Amino acid sequence: MSNYLVAMEAAWLVRDVEAIDDAIGVAVSEAGKRLNQADMDYVEVEVGSTPCPACGEPFDSAFIAADTALVGLGLEMKVFNADSEQHASRIAKSEIGGALRDIPLKVIQTFETGDGDEDVDA
């Protein structure tokens, strides 16, 4: 059994917002609040990034139309004692999906972090 870090993206809808920065703040805050209510404060939440189609440079994943924003969030969770990368992905998606009901989630990357001797807060 190994430990893994699972990275996911979530699509968060924010209504009645006019500025990208406000939409990002609301999305990160709401996601963090729902995760904290489920005692999942160990899940890292940040705004996702999307590469520019012209230059390839990353920019914040947020789009506003008709005062409604779609914000792409990046979520990371450490999974301990999983049998495989696929098993770790399923565990993380199940745990986070339970706290963030009705929010689309997609596993982006899963990789092994090592034996269990690492500092969890690193």
Side-chain angles (χ1 to χ4, degrees), residues 8 10 24 28 31 43-49 71-76:
M8 287 187 264
I24 290 170
V28 170
V43 177
E44 297 291 326
V45 180
E46 60 187 29
V47 65
S49 63
V71 179
L73 296 178
L75 308 169
E76 286 186 352

Side-chain angles (χ1 to χ4, degrees), residues 21-105:
D21 289 338
D22 293 341
I24 290 170
V26 169
V28 170
S29 176
E30 287 179 358
K33 181 179 176 183
R34 286 175 59 178
L35 288 165
N36 286 338
Q37 287 174 343
D39 292 328
M40 296 181 68
D41 55 346
Y42 49 85
V43 177
E44 297 291 326
V45 180
E46 60 187 29
V47 65
S49 63
T50 301
C52 173
C55 67
E57 289 294 317
F59 62 92
D60 290 342
S61 291
F63 177 78
I64 295 180
D67 291 338
T68 303
L70 177 63
V71 179
L73 296 178
L75 308 169
E76 286 186 352
M77 177 180 164
K78 291 181 182 175
V79 176
F80 300 97
N81 299 322
D83 294 329
S84 64
E85 286 185 10
Q86 184 180 30
H87 184 223
S89 295
R90 285 194 317 261
I91 290 170
K93 193 167 182 179
S94 174
E95 290 289 316
I96 293 174
L100 303 179
R101 296 230 181 260
D102 301 323
I103 301 297
L105 295 173

